[in-house]
Amino acid sequence: MRLLQFTAIKLSLCLILGIILGSYISPSLISAAIFCLLLLLLLGLEHFIVKKHRLLFGALCALLTISIGVLSISLKDVKNTSTHYSHLNIDQTRIYTIKIHEVLKANNFSERYIAKVHYMDSLKVTGKILLDISKDPQHNSFKVDDEIITYTSLQDISPPLNPHQFDYRKYLEGLGINHQLRLSNDQFVLSKSSDATIFGIAASIRDQITNKLRQEAFGENELAIIQALLLGERNELTKAINTDYKDAGAFHILALSGLHVGIILGLLHFILSPLKFLPKGRIIKLATIVILLWGFAFLAGMSASILRAVTMFSFVAYALYLNRPTSHYNILALSLLFILLLFDPLLLFQVGFQLSYIAVFSILWIYPLLQNFWSPKNWILKRGWELLSVSIAAQLGVLPLSLYYFHQFPGLFFVSSLLILPFLAIILGMGILVITLALSNALPTFLVVIYDTTIRWMNTVIAWVAQQEGFIFRNISFDAVQLLLGYSIIISLISMLQKASFKRTTIFFITIICFQLWVLGVRYHGNKEEHIVVGHTGRNTTLLHQKGEKVMVYTNNWAHSERMATDYAVAKLTTKVAHQPLKNSFKIGTERVLVLDSSFASLPSNYNVGTILLTQSPKINLERLLDSVQPQIILADGSNYHSYIVRWKATCLKRKLPFHYTGEKGAYKFKIQ
């Protein structure tokens, strides 16, 4: 089947191209709108006057769709939104009125939220920020739609301080968040008048359901799983459960997506079947299913994966109503068009959205091929092979993207799928029944025990699969070029298996050779590299020395340095990582680096030093030290007290000596000749 024969797919690809193009060129809103109107005018002239040039009509449609993509992303650009708070002077202290939009998972020190700015002083503005509120047992956590007033100034979101660290600032920019606000509990007041929104109403209903379930005899972990499975709330999941589901390749079970919505659609289609015998029963059934699906999306917080799934399965419900064959690719493409145009084009750049769509597309494309490869007669084998085929198709589709973003792959994903997926419909159906009965105060104890035991059994199975460490492939280096070449290999492989030919086989082997050549080229280039980096790790000192394929980590606390060292090693495609205690002196080329810590006493006479690294808050008189040695630069890492940093920085500024604090400027990289 040639996918490009479907108009919806061609339009979706053009729209995606336009969104990507718009994010790079970042045009003004006026120019994007004018270009759209011009192409629309040309398309109208071609349709009503020329009429016969099919190629010209197709080209104009493609260009118009691309320009619509550019326009849609331009509408989301902060610089094109005149009411956005960033167009005002945000460096000054102002009175901010802020409404809570989403509750994030709290950390050890603060409650975290995504909030919308409604007013700066008396000016009505728009825009989202990241809000951190210091934890205080005397204050309750905020809920969605709570509104606070504070007199403060916004802060920039810090970029990653270490090389190849996850860029949280870039991630937040993809969500439309450009600034943050950190407040203690005495820096704001809670507004007594706050308008309710659809998100607040949904959050209130979820809280009501959760409170009802808390009154029952559910275990803490089991209740957290129920919230994730049925309400889209993953904040209560422990780190251990998150890790187990990820390592077992079953995290998609906890992330509400097309899998859950598809099962719910099947249940609704079965339960509401008697409606078709009523007058206009099929229309009533369709309307009921669509309303209930969107009600579920509303209850689950309207996340990107839920929006995609409910939109797509609304089209599936309509196709079932028409009772005629329709292309699943068309349904997928139409849902993509609707979501990116009607909801948010920025969803295209979110990892979960990308994984979700690629997984569904892979299932539609690869699953039939696997079924044609083998179709067992035995019913048990047939159902098992169907489940395994779905899992293989989805995991094969997301494999390059998973390696690119997460650098790991669960080898036993098919085991968890075979053990859990056959019972997921029962688990979801029982969950809906449990919630319904709990809200009506009619939930029997035996059903609580059965459902709690079922969830505990599922957690146990997942934990067992995750414990098979030998089948979890971690720290796999995978860059953007490998991502593109990886998908080229998969596409050419499936194409070859669909219809073997000399041309398709040749293309498949060429993509493999290109992938291998790129990896060899990167490794060859890496073998010639040598880098020395002073990283930023809180209350610890980390110095990395990479030479070829080996990274030596100098630190006195490996546990605090391991994450930074691993991220660096994976990005650099190095194969060996070792660590040693931190030394007090390093020689880099002809330059000597002196490491001064809290045990520093005095320097030997005639000691030639080019760089001084201050760690562990040494009690030194920096001015007196600089009188005895004349370094080229002073470095200070994250192990020092902030008050010491301020004093040292002032001393270096007075002497016009470069000062580099890793907590402000990030890791320091030595230049090696």
Side-chain angles (χ1 to χ4, degrees), residues 371-516:
Q371 289 301 296
N372 291 334
F373 176 74
W374 184 43
S375 182
K377 303 296 183 182
N378 183 278
W379 185 87
I380 297 177
L381 284 178
K382 183 178 178 63
R383 292 294 173 261
W385 175 239
E386 287 175 351
L387 288 171
L388 186 60
S389 298
V390 169
S391 186
I392 291 173
Q395 293 291 343
L396 185 61
V398 302
L399 174 60
L401 211 57
S402 297
L403 294 178
Y404 177 70
Y405 284 119
F406 310 118
H407 303 290
Q408 75 171 44
F409 186 74
L412 292 180
F413 66 89
F414 60 91
V415 175
S416 55
S417 295
L418 286 174
L419 294 176
I420 301 299
L421 289 183
F423 308 99
L424 191 56
I426 299 174
I427 292 172
L428 288 176
M430 284 182 64
I432 294 171
L433 178 62
V434 164
I435 288 175
T436 303
L437 293 176
L439 288 175
S440 58
N441 297 316
L443 181 59
T445 304
F446 78 90
L447 188 58
V448 172
V449 173
I450 292 174
Y451 198 52
D452 186 75
T453 304
T454 303
I455 298 296
R456 189 179 298 113
W457 168 82
M458 183 172 72
N459 288 343
T460 303
V461 170
I462 293 298
W464 176 81
V465 175
Q467 288 170 4
Q468 315 309 310
E469 289 283 339
F471 295 93
I472 304 173
F473 307 101
R474 306 180 192 271
N475 302 329
I476 303 172
S477 300
F478 214 77
D479 57 26
V481 176
Q482 288 174 294
L483 174 67
L484 295 175
L485 291 174
Y487 275 115
S488 299
I489 291 173
I490 292 174
I491 292 171
S492 59
L493 171 64
I494 302 303
S495 178
M496 181 184 70
L497 293 177
Q498 281 181 322
K499 185 179 180 181
S501 67
F502 176 78
K503 180 180 177 181
R504 296 187 179 191
T505 305
T506 302
I507 292 174
F508 171 64
F509 283 109
I510 287 175
T511 56
I512 293 179
I513 292 171
C514 289
F515 186 91
Q516 293 173 329

Side-chain angles (χ1 to χ4, degrees), residues 9 169 213 215 257 274 371 427 481 524 536 631 659 671:
I9 293 176
R169 181 172 70 171
L213 294 176
Q215 297 172 12
S257 60
Q371 289 301 296
I427 292 172
V481 176
Y524 176 77
H536 180 80
F659 179 78
K671 296 179 180 178

